Amino acid sequence: MKIRETPSFDLTPAEAAHLQEALRTRVRLSGDIGEVSLVAGADASYAKGSNEIYAVVVALRYPDLTVIERVSASAETPFPYIPGLLTFREGPALIEAFRRLRSEPDIIFFDGQGIAHPRGLGIASHMGVLLDRPTVGVAKSLLVGTATEPGAARGSASPLLRNGETIGMAVRTKEKTKPVYVSVGHRIALMPAVDLVLATARGYRLPEPTRQAHLFANAVRREGSEDGGKDRQTTLPSGGAPGGG
C-alpha cells in the first residue's frame, strides 16, 4: 500500500499533542467512498511494560468478509503509553505494516478513536490523514464525551455527545453485549461509518475487520516474544480463508 506521507513520531508528549492540534484541521468528516469491495482492520499489541510494538493489518473481501491478506511489523518505541497519544506509540509499527500491504482497501477500521478524542485526532483520524484513506474508529471505551445506553436490539444506537456536539455513536452490534463507540476517522460521514460497522459485525461485539486484526496482533505478539520479534506477511489465495476463530 502506498504511503503518501512519511510521518515523524520522534516527539516528546508535549510536541505530539501540539502536532495533533495541527493535524486535526486536515480531517474530513464526509466523503463518498463509492462501492466497497475491500475493507481492512488495523490493531497493535504489546506486552505490559514492553516497548516492542507488534502492529498488523488484515484485509477482507466485502461483503463476504473473507480474509485475503494479513501483514505485520514490529518496532521498538521509547514513547510512553499515554491515553490520547496512542498513535505516537503504535504509529511507527503500523506505518510499516501498511507499507507491506499489497491490497488497497476502500476503508480501514481501527481499534481506537476517530474524532472522539480530547484533541479531535484519535488513531483512526491520525492514520487516516497520513494514509489519505477513509477510516473509522471503533473503540471499546470512551476517551471523551457521554452517550446514553442504546436500545437492547442489535443495530440500536445513541449519539456520543461532547459539549452538545455529536462526535460519534454508541452502537449495539450484538444483543446483550456492551456497545462499541464509532467515530469518524477521515473521509467518511458518521452514519455511513455506523452502517459499515454494523454490516461487518457478524455475531461478535467487534466488527470483523478489527476482530480479525485483534486476533492476529495477539498471535504475532506471542510468536514474536518467542522468536525474537520476526515480522509476518501472509497473502492468502483470492478464494481466501477466514482468519483465526
Side-chain angles (χ1 to χ4, degrees):
M1 182 174 162
K2 187 177 292 184
I3 308 295
R4 293 178 171 83
E5 187 169 338
T6 303
S8 173
F9 296 104
D10 186 17
L11 302 172
T12 67
E15 290 169 337
H18 181 74
L19 179 59
Q20 285 181 331
E21 296 281 4
L23 287 179
R24 71 176 179 181
T25 63
R26 294 169 53 184
V27 173
R28 289 166 52 189
L29 304 181
S30 63
D32 181 6
I33 63 173
E35 183 178 352
V36 176
S37 60
L38 196 67
V39 298
D43 197 8
S45 182
Y46 41 91
K48 187 175 181 180
S50 171
N51 285 330
E52 188 75 19
I53 309 297
Y54 299 92
V56 307
V57 184
V58 179
L60 305 89
R61 195 169 57 210
Y62 183 84
D64 62 56
L65 300 182
T66 299
V67 174
I68 63 168
E69 187 179 5
R70 301 186 299 184
V71 296
S72 71
S74 62
E76 189 166 337
T77 175
F79 201 90
Y81 174 78
I82 301 174
L85 295 177
L86 192 63
T87 312
F88 297 92
R89 183 166 172 82
E90 301 181 358
L94 279 168
I95 286 291
E96 182 56 33
F98 276 109
R99 282 199 177 101
R100 298 176 183 193
L101 190 71
R102 297 176 186 176
S103 306
E104 296 286 340
D106 300 303
I107 188 161
I108 305 165
F109 295 73
F110 285 83
D111 181 12
Q113 310 290 347
I115 65 167
H117 177 273
R119 286 169 294 280
L121 197 86
I123 194 166
S125 294
H126 195 153
M127 294 298 295
V129 168
L130 296 180
L131 299 171
D132 193 25
R133 295 281 175 145
T135 57
V136 177
V138 186
K140 296 184 287 291
S141 59
L142 291 177
L143 272 180
V144 295
T146 58
T148 59
E149 188 76 5
R154 183 189 186 279
S156 299
S158 59
L160 171 58
L161 301 172
R162 184 186 189 191
N163 299 326
E165 178 186 3
T166 298
I167 58 172
M169 298 289 285
V171 181
R172 187 86 66 194
T173 51
K174 182 182 179 182
E175 289 185 17
K176 299 179 182 179
T177 304
K178 292 180 180 179
V180 295
Y181 300 95
V182 178
S183 58
V184 170
H186 183 53
R187 287 179 51 185
I188 187 172
L190 178 57
M191 293 318 296
V194 170
D195 289 343
L196 276 169
V197 167
L198 286 169
T200 55
R202 304 288 174 86
Y204 295 90
R205 182 188 182 201
L206 297 180
E208 203 63 9
T210 54
R211 191 180 83 86
Q212 291 293 337
H214 176 74
L215 292 170
F216 187 43
N218 284 341
V220 168
R221 172 180 53 78
R222 287 192 296 268
E223 293 172 13
S225 298
E226 295 169 358
D227 63 16
K230 294 179 182 178
D231 299 331
R232 301 284 185 276
Q233 181 159 351
T234 305
T235 302
L236 301 173
S238 58

